[in-house]
Amino acid sequence: MNPNVLIIYTGGTIGMINDPQTGELRSFDFNLIDQHVPELNRLKVEMDTVSFEKPIDSSNMNPEHWIRIGELIESNYEQYDGFVVLHGSDTMAYTASALSFMFEGLKKPVILTGSQLPIGTIRTDGKENLITAIEIAASKDDSGEPIIQEVAIYFEYHLYRGNRSTKDSASNFEAIKSPNLVELATAGVHIEYHRKMLYRSKVSEFSVQKTFNERVGLIKLYPGIDLSIYKSVFDRSKVDGIVLETFGAGNAPASTEFERLCTEFISDGGIILNITQCSSGKVKHGMYETSSMFKKLGVVSGGDMTTEAAVTKMMAVLAKESRDEALDLLSRNTRGEVAY
Ligand code: ASP
């Protein structure tokens, strides 16, 4: 029996064609995908498609959409061997990260993919991305177990862990990168899986968290930053958690005003997570004098987490855990998203 895969179409460039009358790009009826990609009929995979009622540009994604995708996977979990989520590349890494934190005990592949050029254009990258993502979602090892048992992104011959990925280019076909973790698989003549890299959940039962706490702020430091502009981010009546994107190995300018804002926010029950704005490498509190303050204040080190993983993990843990539990989860690796 062929494996079966559910394709969830949320929107983005991949699902567009050129309207022959107007020349404009528009979304097409995704149920007719095999008319646009007839190669799909030659795959030894059974496929069903489900589409967002109104496909969206991924810039319009928000936690409600992540929950919608999570619910679709939850309600179809037993019936399918794997899932492919078609999604715009702009915020794909946020959705992949969010899904990874929503799912507990995931034992099947959830592969996000998209494209830089619409599937209905001659030089599209969408066909290869779609076909290989389906193949990966359907792949099993010799004992019949899914090879991939996590949320991953397939883009331009590479499979990356979802919560390690980031959008790297607005124009290259290689739009997505995973700067701190080697890829999970490389698609050449064969799909080569890097088995040692694959994540395995120890939790036996699959469940989906359907809540996010959006009272999360994100500040990217820069030389000369005027903190008065960011005062409301430190306002505990509005914000429960702050992700700070600091310099290098987690450093910040020595400023009594900044220290005061951080101290008050934390003593008032808020949580601050420190990640680096470098595209690779990690935060090491206390490596330089300019990060020792964070250690003293109880700011959590985000290690080598991406911004996408840090923001979505903060939203996920603050939605359901007590402050102490949230602090504990933010300080350690929970889904293969971080190394320290
Ligand atoms: N703006 C589009 C989106 O993210 C770009 C893409 O599809 O890659 O939805």
Side-chain angles (χ1 to χ4, degrees):
M1 216 171 71
N2 288 337
N4 61 357
V5 168
L6 181 66
I7 303 173
I8 300 171
Y9 173 56
T10 69
T13 304
I14 191 166
M16 294 187 168
I17 46 167
N18 261 316
D19 188 315
Q21 254 114 57
T22 63
E24 281 170 3
L25 285 173
R26 62 165 174 80
S27 298
F28 62 89
D29 177 357
F30 212 80
N31 291 315
L32 307 177
I33 179 68
D34 50 353
Q35 290 181 8
H36 299 281
V37 192
E39 295 88 337
L40 290 179
N41 296 318
R42 306 213 317 259
L43 280 177
K44 289 196 175 67
V45 179
E46 307 303 321
M47 279 166 260
D48 290 314
T49 56
V50 40
S51 181
F52 271 19
E53 266 144 49
K54 205 173 162 293
I56 56 170
D57 186 291
S58 77
S59 302
N60 290 319
M61 279 277 164
N62 61 44
E64 270 177 43
H65 298 109
W66 303 337
I67 293 166
R68 170 100 185 91
I69 299 168
E71 284 174 340
L72 280 169
I73 292 172
E74 183 182 41
S75 58
N76 288 285
Y77 190 72
E78 297 305 332
Q79 294 93 288
Y80 290 91
D81 296 296
F83 302 86
V84 170
V85 179
L86 299 178
H87 193 290
S89 61
D90 288 351
T91 69
M92 185 179 283
Y94 283 93
T95 301
S97 300
L99 290 173
S100 78
F101 299 119
M102 288 165 70
F103 296 150
E104 188 140 33
L106 179 69
K107 300 278 163 49
K108 295 189 178 184
V110 175
I111 314 296
L112 281 81
T113 194
S115 67
Q116 292 282 58
L117 283 176
I119 219 149
T121 57
I122 296 173
R123 291 182 54 250
T124 185
D125 51 330
K127 283 192 183 187
E128 197 283 323
N129 284 349
L130 174 63
I131 291 165
T132 309
I134 294 170
E135 241 186 286
I136 292 171
S139 291
K140 305 218 174 151
D141 61 20
D142 295 342
S143 60
E145 287 291 303
I147 298 178
I148 300 296
Q149 303 187 13
E150 58 183 291
V151 181
I153 292 183
Y154 180 75
F155 228 94
E156 193 66 7
Y157 306 113
H158 303 282
L159 183 74
Y160 302 111
R161 176 161 304 148
N163 56 31
R164 290 296 201 150
S165 305
T166 190
K167 181 156 181 177
D168 177 70
S169 172
S171 52
N172 292 345
F173 281 153
E174 253 184 74
I176 305 285
K177 285 270 162 67
S178 164
N180 279 318
L181 190 80
V182 297
E183 60 213 65
L184 306 181
T186 316
V189 174
H190 303 288
I191 300 173
E192 198 188 313
Y193 292 95
H194 308 299
R195 305 238 174 198
K196 283 201 189 117
M197 301 312 302
L198 306 181
Y199 179 78
R200 291 291 185 260
S201 169
K202 294 193 182 74
V203 177
S204 51
E205 205 158 305
F206 177 61
S207 64
V208 182
Q209 176 179 331
K210 291 170 208 135
T211 45
F212 284 95
N213 179 341
E214 292 170 46
R215 290 163 50 95
V216 169
L218 170 65
I219 302 176
K220 181 172 187 156
L221 298 183
Y222 49 90
I225 186 167
D226 176 354
L227 287 163
S228 66
I229 301 172
Y230 296 92
K231 277 227 168 86
S232 64
V233 181
F234 290 89
D235 181 348
R236 277 288 289 126
S237 70
K238 298 194 180 97
V239 179
D240 294 326
I242 301 173
V243 175
L244 269 187
E245 270 195 23
T246 54
F247 306 126
N251 308 314
S255 144
T256 43
E257 171 66 348
F258 183 50
E259 188 164 344
R260 188 184 62 76
L261 285 169
C262 292
T263 309
E264 285 177 9
F265 185 77
I266 291 172
S267 55
D268 218 357
I271 296 179
I272 303 181
L273 181 64
N274 182 10
I275 57 168
T276 173
Q277 52 187 255
C278 294
S279 55
S280 67
K282 62 182 76 162
V283 163
K284 277 263 173 233
H285 280 168
M287 185 163 151
Y288 289 90
E289 201 187 347
T290 40
S291 70
S292 299
M293 166 192 90
F294 289 138
K295 211 171 174 179
K296 194 178 78 196
L297 297 181
V299 168
V300 182
S301 165
D304 65 355
M305 245 192 289
T306 59
T307 304
E308 292 88 333
V311 169
T312 55
K313 186 175 180 183
M314 183 79 105
M315 285 182 172
V317 301
L318 287 177
K320 68 169 202 165
E321 310 294 347
S322 70
R323 182 173 188 276
D324 283 350
E325 281 162 334
L327 273 173
D328 173 55
L329 290 170
L330 286 169
S331 311
R332 61 186 169 85
N333 182 22
T334 60
R335 299 287 194 278
E337 73 280 10
V338 63
Y340 296 97

